[in-house]
Amino acid sequence: MERILVSACLLGRPVRYDGAAKNVDDELVGRWRAEGRVIPFCPEVSGGLPVPRPPAEIVGGDGEAVLDGTARVLTGAGADVTAAFVQGARLALDAARRGGARVAILKEGSPSCGSLRIYDGRFSGTSIPGHGVTTALLERSGVRVFDEDQIDAAATYLRTLESP
Ligand code: SF4
């Protein structure tokens, strides 16, 4: 049975920068959890960042550019946390590979987990299209990333992987 890597904050774990969770109350995710198919993961905490932590944004591009070395992840005070974000992405990919997950459901808008949009690096609350750092690495490595509003699409994709 296919397994699914899921942002730990979507599963109710209080790992976000502000010490909160963003629990997604979804029947399918509940069923997958009961079946032991869910791999909870927080790239930022695994990359060594504390809870709570200063909010960070990608400056100069998106997660793809961070992986290519042309953008950085900075806190609002200007601290460079790029290395922790890249390490968290690598560990997320390790977790997916170890667990046999080819699908991930990650929290939208995060500089790690965003898949459709991220914030624009000016700490102004403005979002732009782009991948977070973990999403960029997972997608490059063949793990398909969906967000918390695309759980039905993730289930459809899982079925295509599971069909003979
Ligand atoms: Fe949630 Fe991802 Fe942020 Fe961790 S890095 S708190 S899993 S959105």
Side-chain angles (χ1 to χ4, degrees):
M1 207 183 295
E2 291 287 332
R3 300 184 77 201
I4 308 111
L5 189 80
V6 181
S7 290
C9 60
L10 292 178
L11 298 168
R13 298 201 183 170
V15 289
R16 278 164 51 93
Y17 71 93
D18 57 2
K22 272 282 182 183
N23 196 28
V24 65
D25 188 13
D26 183 89
E27 199 184 319
L28 262 177
V29 173
R31 193 190 315 154
W32 291 334
R33 287 180 88 174
E35 291 170 350
R37 300 171 65 183
V38 167
I39 304 166
F41 199 84
C42 175
E44 292 174 23
V45 168
S46 292
L49 296 172
V51 181
R53 53 190 172 276
E57 295 190 8
I58 301 174
V59 177
D62 74 347
E64 307 287 347
V66 171
L67 295 179
D68 293 339
T70 59
R72 294 181 300 157
V73 190
L74 302 179
T75 69
D80 191 328
V81 287
T82 308
F85 274 67
V86 171
Q87 175 69 356
R90 289 190 183 126
L91 293 170
L93 179 58
D94 285 351
R97 285 192 168 145
R98 264 200 323 275
R102 293 184 284 173
V103 174
I105 296 173
L106 303 186
K107 175 80 187 75
E108 192 56 84
S110 149
S112 292
C113 293
S115 54
L116 294 177
R117 56 187 174 77
I118 55 170
Y119 288 94
D120 71 354
R122 292 181 300 166
F123 294 88
S124 63
T126 307
S127 66
I128 54 172
H131 283 162
V133 182
T134 291
T135 295
L137 186 62
L138 291 175
E139 288 271 3
R140 283 184 184 192
S141 308
V143 179
R144 182 86 182 271
V145 177
F146 298 85
D147 73 17
E148 67 273 26
D149 294 323
Q150 298 173 318
I151 293 170
D152 287 344
T156 302
Y157 183 66
L158 274 170
R159 278 195 294 276
T160 67
L161 294 177
E162 287 168 348
S163 61

mmCIF file of all heavy atoms in Angstrom, residues 102-155:
data_model
loop_
_atom_site.group_PDB
_atom_site.id
_atom_site.type_symbol
_atom_site.label_atom_id
_atom_site.label_comp_id
_atom_site.label_asym_id
_atom_site.label_seq_id
_atom_site.Cartn_x
_atom_site.Cartn_y
_atom_site.Cartn_z
ATOM 1 N N ARG A 102 5.644 8.065 -2.389
ATOM 2 C CA ARG A 102 5.808 8.775 -3.662
ATOM 3 C C ARG A 102 4.832 9.938 -3.780
ATOM 4 O O ARG A 102 4.724 10.579 -4.815
ATOM 5 C CB ARG A 102 5.597 7.801 -4.831
ATOM 6 C CG ARG A 102 6.692 6.744 -4.903
ATOM 7 C CD ARG A 102 6.518 5.867 -6.117
ATOM 8 N NE ARG A 102 5.432 4.910 -5.930
ATOM 9 C CZ ARG A 102 4.980 4.100 -6.894
ATOM 10 N NH1 ARG A 102 5.514 4.168 -8.097
ATOM 11 N NH2 ARG A 102 4.010 3.240 -6.634
ATOM 12 N N VAL A 103 4.112 10.188 -2.687
ATOM 13 C CA VAL A 103 3.134 11.271 -2.625
ATOM 14 C C VAL A 103 3.323 12.008 -1.299
ATOM 15 O O VAL A 103 3.582 11.379 -0.268
ATOM 16 C CB VAL A 103 1.689 10.711 -2.699
ATOM 17 C CG1 VAL A 103 0.666 11.812 -2.497
ATOM 18 C CG2 VAL A 103 1.463 10.000 -4.021
ATOM 19 N N ALA A 104 3.197 13.340 -1.357
ATOM 20 C CA ALA A 104 3.248 14.130 -0.127
ATOM 21 C C ALA A 104 2.085 15.116 -0.113
ATOM 22 O O ALA A 104 1.666 15.608 -1.161
ATOM 23 C CB ALA A 104 4.572 14.892 -0.036
ATOM 24 N N ILE A 105 1.576 15.375 1.094
ATOM 25 C CA ILE A 105 0.573 16.428 1.284
ATOM 26 C C ILE A 105 1.184 17.429 2.257
ATOM 27 O O ILE A 105 1.424 17.107 3.430
ATOM 28 C CB ILE A 105 -0.755 15.871 1.822
ATOM 29 C CG1 ILE A 105 -1.360 14.916 0.787
ATOM 30 C CG2 ILE A 105 -1.729 17.008 2.138
ATOM 31 C CD1 ILE A 105 -2.574 14.171 1.255
ATOM 32 N N LEU A 106 1.506 18.603 1.731
ATOM 33 C CA LEU A 106 2.264 19.575 2.520
ATOM 34 C C LEU A 106 1.511 20.896 2.632
ATOM 35 O O LEU A 106 0.729 21.272 1.763
ATOM 36 C CB LEU A 106 3.641 19.814 1.873
ATOM 37 C CG LEU A 106 4.540 18.585 1.666
ATOM 38 C CD1 LEU A 106 5.913 19.029 1.142
ATOM 39 C CD2 LEU A 106 4.706 17.763 2.935
ATOM 40 N N LYS A 107 1.793 21.592 3.713
ATOM 41 C CA LYS A 107 1.086 22.843 4.050
ATOM 42 C C LYS A 107 1.394 23.953 3.045
ATOM 43 O O LYS A 107 2.544 24.320 2.856
ATOM 44 C CB LYS A 107 1.514 23.266 5.453
ATOM 45 C CG LYS A 107 0.965 24.593 5.902
ATOM 46 C CD LYS A 107 -0.457 24.434 6.374
ATOM 47 C CE LYS A 107 -1.074 25.789 6.672
ATOM 48 N NZ LYS A 107 -1.439 26.564 5.487
ATOM 49 N N GLU A 108 0.324 24.485 2.461
ATOM 50 C CA GLU A 108 0.490 25.546 1.452
ATOM 51 C C GLU A 108 1.043 26.827 2.067
ATOM 52 O O GLU A 108 0.758 27.140 3.229
ATOM 53 C CB GLU A 108 -0.873 25.818 0.789
ATOM 54 C CG GLU A 108 -0.781 26.666 -0.458
ATOM 55 C CD GLU A 108 0.162 26.042 -1.494
ATOM 56 O OE1 GLU A 108 -0.311 25.162 -2.242
ATOM 57 O OE2 GLU A 108 1.337 26.423 -1.528
ATOM 58 N N GLY A 109 1.833 27.541 1.290
ATOM 59 C CA GLY A 109 2.282 28.869 1.687
ATOM 60 C C GLY A 109 3.577 28.902 2.477
ATOM 61 O O GLY A 109 4.176 29.967 2.644
ATOM 62 N N SER A 110 4.022 27.755 2.970
ATOM 63 C CA SER A 110 5.225 27.708 3.802
ATOM 64 C C SER A 110 6.487 27.785 2.932
ATOM 65 O O SER A 110 6.518 27.241 1.830
ATOM 66 C CB SER A 110 5.217 26.380 4.580
ATOM 67 O OG SER A 110 6.526 25.920 4.832
ATOM 68 N N PRO A 111 7.545 28.427 3.443
ATOM 69 C CA PRO A 111 8.796 28.480 2.667
ATOM 70 C C PRO A 111 9.455 27.109 2.525
ATOM 71 O O PRO A 111 10.326 26.931 1.678
ATOM 72 C CB PRO A 111 9.679 29.438 3.477
ATOM 73 C CG PRO A 111 9.085 29.456 4.842
ATOM 74 C CD PRO A 111 7.620 29.194 4.691
ATOM 75 N N SER A 112 9.029 26.137 3.329
ATOM 76 C CA SER A 112 9.474 24.753 3.138
ATOM 77 C C SER A 112 8.457 23.956 2.335
ATOM 78 O O SER A 112 8.788 23.283 1.365
ATOM 79 C CB SER A 112 9.666 24.040 4.493
ATOM 80 O OG SER A 112 10.747 24.571 5.193
ATOM 81 N N CYS A 113 7.207 24.005 2.795
ATOM 82 C CA CYS A 113 6.186 23.052 2.338
ATOM 83 C C CYS A 113 5.267 23.579 1.247
ATOM 84 O O CYS A 113 4.497 22.809 0.670
ATOM 85 C CB CYS A 113 5.334 22.612 3.537
ATOM 86 S SG CYS A 113 6.247 21.628 4.748
ATOM 87 N N GLY A 114 5.304 24.876 0.938
ATOM 88 C CA GLY A 114 4.407 25.427 -0.086
ATOM 89 C C GLY A 114 4.607 24.749 -1.432
ATOM 90 O O GLY A 114 5.741 24.416 -1.799
ATOM 91 N N SER A 115 3.501 24.556 -2.150
ATOM 92 C CA SER A 115 3.641 23.929 -3.476
ATOM 93 C C SER A 115 3.070 24.804 -4.587
ATOM 94 O O SER A 115 3.482 24.689 -5.733
ATOM 95 C CB SER A 115 2.979 22.555 -3.500
ATOM 96 O OG SER A 115 1.632 22.622 -3.070
ATOM 97 N N LEU A 116 2.122 25.672 -4.256
ATOM 98 C CA LEU A 116 1.581 26.590 -5.257
ATOM 99 C C LEU A 116 2.057 28.012 -5.018
ATOM 100 O O LEU A 116 2.266 28.773 -5.947
ATOM 101 C CB LEU A 116 0.044 26.568 -5.234
ATOM 102 C CG LEU A 116 -0.628 25.261 -5.655
ATOM 103 C CD1 LEU A 116 -2.140 25.387 -5.497
ATOM 104 C CD2 LEU A 116 -0.274 24.913 -7.087
ATOM 105 N N ARG A 117 2.214 28.362 -3.733
ATOM 106 C CA ARG A 117 2.607 29.743 -3.461
ATOM 107 C C ARG A 117 3.463 29.822 -2.201
ATOM 108 O O ARG A 117 3.399 28.946 -1.318
ATOM 109 C CB ARG A 117 1.385 30.648 -3.350
ATOM 110 C CG ARG A 117 0.404 30.197 -2.312
ATOM 111 C CD ARG A 117 -0.884 31.010 -2.332
ATOM 112 N NE ARG A 117 -1.834 30.428 -1.398
ATOM 113 C CZ ARG A 117 -1.772 30.591 -0.082
ATOM 114 N NH1 ARG A 117 -0.835 31.336 0.452
ATOM 115 N NH2 ARG A 117 -2.644 30.002 0.704
ATOM 116 N N ILE A 118 4.259 30.859 -2.189
ATOM 117 C CA ILE A 118 5.111 31.167 -1.037
ATOM 118 C C ILE A 118 5.013 32.674 -0.816
ATOM 119 O O ILE A 118 4.418 33.370 -1.629
ATOM 120 C CB ILE A 118 6.585 30.771 -1.298
ATOM 121 C CG1 ILE A 118 7.082 31.442 -2.591
ATOM 122 C CG2 ILE A 118 6.734 29.256 -1.377
ATOM 123 C CD1 ILE A 118 8.570 31.318 -2.804
ATOM 124 N N TYR A 119 5.591 33.170 0.253
ATOM 125 C CA TYR A 119 5.604 34.618 0.443
ATOM 126 C C TYR A 119 6.805 35.225 -0.281
ATOM 127 O O TYR A 119 7.780 34.543 -0.583
ATOM 128 C CB TYR A 119 5.543 34.946 1.933
ATOM 129 C CG TYR A 119 4.158 34.638 2.457
ATOM 130 C CD1 TYR A 119 3.867 33.409 3.048
ATOM 131 C CD2 TYR A 119 3.126 35.543 2.270
ATOM 132 C CE1 TYR A 119 2.582 33.094 3.455
ATOM 133 C CE2 TYR A 119 1.829 35.240 2.685
ATOM 134 C CZ TYR A 119 1.564 34.020 3.279
ATOM 135 O OH TYR A 119 0.294 33.722 3.655
ATOM 136 N N ASP A 120 6.673 36.514 -0.588
ATOM 137 C CA ASP A 120 7.582 37.083 -1.594
ATOM 138 C C ASP A 120 8.935 37.567 -1.092
ATOM 139 O O ASP A 120 9.717 38.137 -1.849
ATOM 140 C CB ASP A 120 6.872 38.205 -2.350
ATOM 141 C CG ASP A 120 6.659 39.447 -1.476
ATOM 142 O OD1 ASP A 120 6.953 39.383 -0.262
ATOM 143 O OD2 ASP A 120 6.214 40.475 -2.023
ATOM 144 N N GLY A 121 9.218 37.326 0.193
ATOM 145 C CA GLY A 121 10.541 37.686 0.702
ATOM 146 C C GLY A 121 10.631 39.099 1.254
ATOM 147 O O GLY A 121 11.692 39.531 1.699
ATOM 148 N N ARG A 122 9.495 39.815 1.241
ATOM 149 C CA ARG A 122 9.513 41.185 1.789
ATOM 150 C C ARG A 122 8.789 41.273 3.133
ATOM 151 O O ARG A 122 8.621 42.361 3.676
ATOM 152 C CB ARG A 122 8.871 42.153 0.786
ATOM 153 C CG ARG A 122 9.716 42.315 -0.483
ATOM 154 C CD ARG A 122 9.067 43.299 -1.432
ATOM 155 N NE ARG A 122 7.733 42.832 -1.832
ATOM 156 C CZ ARG A 122 6.813 43.593 -2.430
ATOM 157 N NH1 ARG A 122 7.075 44.853 -2.679
ATOM 158 N NH2 ARG A 122 5.647 43.089 -2.770
ATOM 159 N N PHE A 123 8.313 40.142 3.630
ATOM 160 C CA PHE A 123 7.595 40.088 4.915
ATOM 161 C C PHE A 123 6.424 41.071 4.921
ATOM 162 O O PHE A 123 6.167 41.753 5.913
ATOM 163 C CB PHE A 123 8.564 40.336 6.084
ATOM 164 C CG PHE A 123 9.578 39.228 6.207
ATOM 165 C CD1 PHE A 123 10.771 39.281 5.496
ATOM 166 C CD2 PHE A 123 9.330 38.106 6.980
ATOM 167 C CE1 PHE A 123 11.692 38.248 5.572
ATOM 168 C CE2 PHE A 123 10.237 37.064 7.062
ATOM 169 C CZ PHE A 123 11.421 37.139 6.365
ATOM 170 N N SER A 124 5.741 41.139 3.801
ATOM 171 C CA SER A 124 4.636 42.085 3.657
ATOM 172 C C SER A 124 3.295 41.357 3.582
ATOM 173 O O SER A 124 2.259 41.987 3.357
ATOM 174 C CB SER A 124 4.831 42.897 2.371
ATOM 175 O OG SER A 124 4.795 42.027 1.244
ATOM 176 N N GLY A 125 3.329 40.015 3.726
ATOM 177 C CA GLY A 125 2.093 39.259 3.625
ATOM 178 C C GLY A 125 1.662 39.005 2.192
ATOM 179 O O GLY A 125 0.542 38.543 1.957
ATOM 180 N N THR A 126 2.522 39.297 1.233
ATOM 181 C CA THR A 126 2.185 39.115 -0.177
ATOM 182 C C THR A 126 2.696 37.768 -0.669
ATOM 183 O O THR A 126 3.889 37.468 -0.530
ATOM 184 C CB THR A 126 2.846 40.221 -1.034
ATOM 185 O OG1 THR A 126 2.504 41.483 -0.481
ATOM 186 C CG2 THR A 126 2.383 40.133 -2.482
ATOM 187 N N SER A 127 1.794 36.961 -1.234
ATOM 188 C CA SER A 127 2.254 35.658 -1.731
ATOM 189 C C SER A 127 2.439 35.698 -3.246
ATOM 190 O O SER A 127 1.805 36.488 -3.950
ATOM 191 C CB SER A 127 1.305 34.546 -1.308
ATOM 192 O OG SER A 127 0.057 34.701 -1.929
ATOM 193 N N ILE A 128 3.315 34.835 -3.705
ATOM 194 C CA ILE A 128 3.637 34.731 -5.132
ATOM 195 C C ILE A 128 3.652 33.244 -5.494
ATOM 196 O O ILE A 128 3.817 32.395 -4.615
ATOM 197 C CB ILE A 128 5.014 35.355 -5.453
ATOM 198 C CG1 ILE A 128 6.102 34.729 -4.547
ATOM 199 C CG2 ILE A 128 4.985 36.870 -5.295
ATOM 200 C CD1 ILE A 128 7.512 35.134 -4.917
ATOM 201 N N PRO A 129 3.497 32.909 -6.754
ATOM 202 C CA PRO A 129 3.587 31.495 -7.129
ATOM 203 C C PRO A 129 4.991 30.973 -6.874
ATOM 204 O O PRO A 129 5.973 31.693 -7.071
ATOM 205 C CB PRO A 129 3.299 31.505 -8.643
ATOM 206 C CG PRO A 129 2.686 32.827 -8.937
ATOM 207 C CD PRO A 129 3.215 33.779 -7.906
ATOM 208 N N GLY A 130 5.093 29.730 -6.426
ATOM 209 C CA GLY A 130 6.417 29.145 -6.236
ATOM 210 C C GLY A 130 6.385 27.964 -5.297
ATOM 211 O O GLY A 130 5.404 27.734 -4.582
ATOM 212 N N HIS A 131 7.463 27.208 -5.321
ATOM 213 C CA HIS A 131 7.647 26.053 -4.452
ATOM 214 C C HIS A 131 8.442 26.433 -3.209
ATOM 215 O O HIS A 131 9.401 27.202 -3.305
ATOM 216 C CB HIS A 131 8.463 24.977 -5.180
ATOM 217 C CG HIS A 131 7.683 24.205 -6.192
ATOM 218 N ND1 HIS A 131 8.281 23.471 -7.188
ATOM 219 C CD2 HIS A 131 6.351 24.034 -6.335
ATOM 220 C CE1 HIS A 131 7.350 22.889 -7.918
ATOM 221 N NE2 HIS A 131 6.162 23.209 -7.426
ATOM 222 N N GLY A 132 8.112 25.850 -2.063
ATOM 223 C CA GLY A 132 9.001 25.886 -0.923
ATOM 224 C C GLY A 132 10.203 24.980 -1.171
ATOM 225 O O GLY A 132 10.249 24.233 -2.156
ATOM 226 N N VAL A 133 11.165 25.034 -0.252
ATOM 227 C CA VAL A 133 12.425 24.313 -0.469
ATOM 228 C C VAL A 133 12.211 22.792 -0.446
ATOM 229 O O VAL A 133 12.724 22.068 -1.314
ATOM 230 C CB VAL A 133 13.468 24.726 0.598
ATOM 231 C CG1 VAL A 133 14.787 24.012 0.347
ATOM 232 C CG2 VAL A 133 13.668 26.230 0.604
ATOM 233 N N THR A 134 11.451 22.304 0.511
ATOM 234 C CA THR A 134 11.198 20.855 0.587
ATOM 235 C C THR A 134 10.387 20.381 -0.610
ATOM 236 O O THR A 134 10.704 19.343 -1.218
ATOM 237 C CB THR A 134 10.482 20.511 1.910
ATOM 238 O OG1 THR A 134 11.407 20.727 2.978
ATOM 239 C CG2 THR A 134 10.006 19.062 1.936
ATOM 240 N N THR A 135 9.359 21.139 -0.965
ATOM 241 C CA THR A 135 8.559 20.760 -2.140
ATOM 242 C C THR A 135 9.429 20.692 -3.388
ATOM 243 O O THR A 135 9.322 19.749 -4.183
ATOM 244 C CB THR A 135 7.419 21.777 -2.347
ATOM 245 O OG1 THR A 135 6.544 21.679 -1.235
ATOM 246 C CG2 THR A 135 6.644 21.497 -3.625
ATOM 247 N N ALA A 136 10.306 21.669 -3.556
ATOM 248 C CA ALA A 136 11.174 21.685 -4.739
ATOM 249 C C ALA A 136 12.021 20.414 -4.795
ATOM 250 O O ALA A 136 12.129 19.766 -5.850
ATOM 251 C CB ALA A 136 12.060 22.924 -4.712
ATOM 252 N N LEU A 137 12.610 20.039 -3.662
ATOM 253 C CA LEU A 137 13.480 18.845 -3.685
ATOM 254 C C LEU A 137 12.665 17.567 -3.893
ATOM 255 O O LEU A 137 13.074 16.674 -4.644
ATOM 256 C CB LEU A 137 14.297 18.754 -2.393
ATOM 257 C CG LEU A 137 15.327 17.621 -2.394
ATOM 258 C CD1 LEU A 137 16.374 17.818 -3.507
ATOM 259 C CD2 LEU A 137 16.031 17.515 -1.040
ATOM 260 N N LEU A 138 11.501 17.483 -3.234
ATOM 261 C CA LEU A 138 10.674 16.276 -3.405
ATOM 262 C C LEU A 138 10.231 16.129 -4.858
ATOM 263 O O LEU A 138 10.345 15.046 -5.450
ATOM 264 C CB LEU A 138 9.452 16.330 -2.485
ATOM 265 C CG LEU A 138 9.710 16.194 -0.986
ATOM 266 C CD1 LEU A 138 8.406 16.385 -0.203
ATOM 267 C CD2 LEU A 138 10.333 14.851 -0.629
ATOM 268 N N GLU A 139 9.749 17.226 -5.441
ATOM 269 C CA GLU A 139 9.272 17.158 -6.837
ATOM 270 C C GLU A 139 10.417 16.819 -7.784
ATOM 271 O O GLU A 139 10.247 16.050 -8.725
ATOM 272 C CB GLU A 139 8.600 18.482 -7.230
ATOM 273 C CG GLU A 139 7.242 18.703 -6.564
ATOM 274 C CD GLU A 139 6.084 18.118 -7.384
ATOM 275 O OE1 GLU A 139 6.342 17.514 -8.422
ATOM 276 O OE2 GLU A 139 4.925 18.284 -6.949
ATOM 277 N N ARG A 140 11.600 17.359 -7.540
ATOM 278 C CA ARG A 140 12.758 17.028 -8.385
ATOM 279 C C ARG A 140 13.118 15.548 -8.296
ATOM 280 O O ARG A 140 13.731 14.993 -9.194
ATOM 281 C CB ARG A 140 13.993 17.828 -7.944
ATOM 282 C CG ARG A 140 13.979 19.245 -8.387
ATOM 283 C CD ARG A 140 15.271 19.937 -7.996
ATOM 284 N NE ARG A 140 15.192 21.348 -8.356
ATOM 285 C CZ ARG A 140 16.211 22.176 -8.358
ATOM 286 N NH1 ARG A 140 17.406 21.747 -7.988
ATOM 287 N NH2 ARG A 140 16.047 23.433 -8.716
ATOM 288 N N SER A 141 12.747 14.955 -7.160
ATOM 289 C CA SER A 141 13.152 13.578 -6.897
ATOM 290 C C SER A 141 12.028 12.586 -7.158
ATOM 291 O O SER A 141 12.133 11.416 -6.788
ATOM 292 C CB SER A 141 13.621 13.469 -5.442
ATOM 293 O OG SER A 141 14.583 14.461 -5.166
ATOM 294 N N GLY A 142 10.928 13.061 -7.749
ATOM 295 C CA GLY A 142 9.870 12.139 -8.151
ATOM 296 C C GLY A 142 8.769 11.935 -7.146
ATOM 297 O O GLY A 142 7.913 11.069 -7.333
ATOM 298 N N VAL A 143 8.786 12.714 -6.047
ATOM 299 C CA VAL A 143 7.683 12.638 -5.072
ATOM 300 C C VAL A 143 6.694 13.753 -5.430
ATOM 301 O O VAL A 143 7.069 14.926 -5.467
ATOM 302 C CB VAL A 143 8.181 12.822 -3.622
ATOM 303 C CG1 VAL A 143 7.009 12.754 -2.645
ATOM 304 C CG2 VAL A 143 9.242 11.783 -3.285
ATOM 305 N N ARG A 144 5.458 13.387 -5.694
ATOM 306 C CA ARG A 144 4.454 14.362 -6.123
ATOM 307 C C ARG A 144 3.862 15.052 -4.900
ATOM 308 O O ARG A 144 3.425 14.379 -3.959
ATOM 309 C CB ARG A 144 3.391 13.606 -6.916
ATOM 310 C CG ARG A 144 2.322 14.427 -7.479
ATOM 311 C CD ARG A 144 2.704 15.003 -8.833
ATOM 312 N NE ARG A 144 1.599 15.841 -9.268
ATOM 313 C CZ ARG A 144 0.568 15.378 -9.978
ATOM 314 N NH1 ARG A 144 0.535 14.115 -10.364
ATOM 315 N NH2 ARG A 144 -0.406 16.188 -10.311
ATOM 316 N N VAL A 145 3.868 16.386 -4.914
ATOM 317 C CA VAL A 145 3.414 17.143 -3.747
ATOM 318 C C VAL A 145 2.044 17.785 -4.021
ATOM 319 O O VAL A 145 1.846 18.438 -5.045
ATOM 320 C CB VAL A 145 4.433 18.243 -3.374
ATOM 321 C CG1 VAL A 145 3.917 19.082 -2.198
ATOM 322 C CG2 VAL A 145 5.787 17.614 -3.032
ATOM 323 N N PHE A 146 1.130 17.605 -3.078
ATOM 324 C CA PHE A 146 -0.183 18.234 -3.080
ATOM 325 C C PHE A 146 -0.290 19.092 -1.828
ATOM 326 O O PHE A 146 0.435 18.861 -0.847
ATOM 327 C CB PHE A 146 -1.292 17.170 -3.069
ATOM 328 C CG PHE A 146 -1.276 16.278 -4.288
ATOM 329 C CD1 PHE A 146 -0.450 15.164 -4.333
ATOM 330 C CD2 PHE A 146 -2.064 16.566 -5.394
ATOM 331 C CE1 PHE A 146 -0.417 14.343 -5.462
ATOM 332 C CE2 PHE A 146 -2.041 15.749 -6.516
ATOM 333 C CZ PHE A 146 -1.217 14.637 -6.550
ATOM 334 N N ASP A 147 -1.233 20.053 -1.832
ATOM 335 C CA ASP A 147 -1.437 20.822 -0.605
ATOM 336 C C ASP A 147 -2.707 20.347 0.114
ATOM 337 O O ASP A 147 -3.393 19.418 -0.340
ATOM 338 C CB ASP A 147 -1.411 22.334 -0.865
ATOM 339 C CG ASP A 147 -2.660 22.849 -1.590
ATOM 340 O OD1 ASP A 147 -3.683 22.144 -1.626
ATOM 341 O OD2 ASP A 147 -2.605 23.979 -2.104
ATOM 342 N N GLU A 148 -3.014 20.989 1.237
ATOM 343 C CA GLU A 148 -4.118 20.520 2.082
ATOM 344 C C GLU A 148 -5.485 20.732 1.439
ATOM 345 O O GLU A 148 -6.479 20.213 1.930
ATOM 346 C CB GLU A 148 -4.046 21.184 3.463
ATOM 347 C CG GLU A 148 -4.287 22.681 3.488
ATOM 348 C CD GLU A 148 -3.017 23.500 3.255
ATOM 349 O OE1 GLU A 148 -2.084 22.986 2.610
ATOM 350 O OE2 GLU A 148 -2.971 24.651 3.723
ATOM 351 N N ASP A 149 -5.545 21.504 0.351
ATOM 352 C CA ASP A 149 -6.809 21.665 -0.376
ATOM 353 C C ASP A 149 -6.904 20.728 -1.571
ATOM 354 O O ASP A 149 -7.832 20.833 -2.374
ATOM 355 C CB ASP A 149 -6.958 23.121 -0.847
ATOM 356 C CG ASP A 149 -7.106 24.082 0.320
ATOM 357 O OD1 ASP A 149 -7.756 23.712 1.316
ATOM 358 O OD2 ASP A 149 -6.543 25.184 0.251
ATOM 359 N N GLN A 150 -5.925 19.868 -1.715
ATOM 360 C CA GLN A 150 -5.881 18.966 -2.877
ATOM 361 C C GLN A 150 -5.859 17.489 -2.446
ATOM 362 O O GLN A 150 -5.269 16.659 -3.129
ATOM 363 C CB GLN A 150 -4.618 19.242 -3.703
ATOM 364 C CG GLN A 150 -4.555 20.660 -4.273
ATOM 365 C CD GLN A 150 -3.212 20.934 -4.922
ATOM 366 O OE1 GLN A 150 -2.165 20.562 -4.389
ATOM 367 N NE2 GLN A 150 -3.227 21.569 -6.067
ATOM 368 N N ILE A 151 -6.496 17.200 -1.317
ATOM 369 C CA ILE A 151 -6.417 15.834 -0.796
ATOM 370 C C ILE A 151 -7.143 14.844 -1.714
ATOM 371 O O ILE A 151 -6.669 13.722 -1.931
ATOM 372 C CB ILE A 151 -6.936 15.795 0.662
ATOM 373 C CG1 ILE A 151 -5.958 16.580 1.544
ATOM 374 C CG2 ILE A 151 -7.059 14.358 1.165
ATOM 375 C CD1 ILE A 151 -6.422 16.855 2.938
ATOM 376 N N ASP A 152 -8.257 15.288 -2.295
ATOM 377 C CA ASP A 152 -8.944 14.398 -3.245
ATOM 378 C C ASP A 152 -8.063 14.118 -4.464
ATOM 379 O O ASP A 152 -8.012 12.989 -4.960
ATOM 380 C CB ASP A 152 -10.269 15.015 -3.698
ATOM 381 C CG ASP A 152 -11.321 14.962 -2.596
ATOM 382 O OD1 ASP A 152 -11.130 14.198 -1.633
ATOM 383 O OD2 ASP A 152 -12.317 15.702 -2.696
ATOM 384 N N ALA A 153 -7.366 15.135 -4.947
ATOM 385 C CA ALA A 153 -6.460 14.936 -6.090
ATOM 386 C C ALA A 153 -5.315 13.995 -5.701
ATOM 387 O O ALA A 153 -4.887 13.142 -6.500
ATOM 388 C CB ALA A 153 -5.914 16.275 -6.566
ATOM 389 N N ALA A 154 -4.837 14.123 -4.475
ATOM 390 C CA ALA A 154 -3.777 13.216 -4.011
ATOM 391 C C ALA A 154 -4.295 11.784 -3.974
ATOM 392 O O ALA A 154 -3.585 10.842 -4.362
ATOM 393 C CB ALA A 154 -3.298 13.646 -2.616
ATOM 394 N N ALA A 155 -5.541 11.610 -3.532
ATOM 395 C CA ALA A 155 -6.120 10.259 -3.466
ATOM 396 C C ALA A 155 -6.254 9.667 -4.865
ATOM 397 O O ALA A 155 -5.975 8.477 -5.075
ATOM 398 C CB ALA A 155 -7.484 10.324 -2.779
#
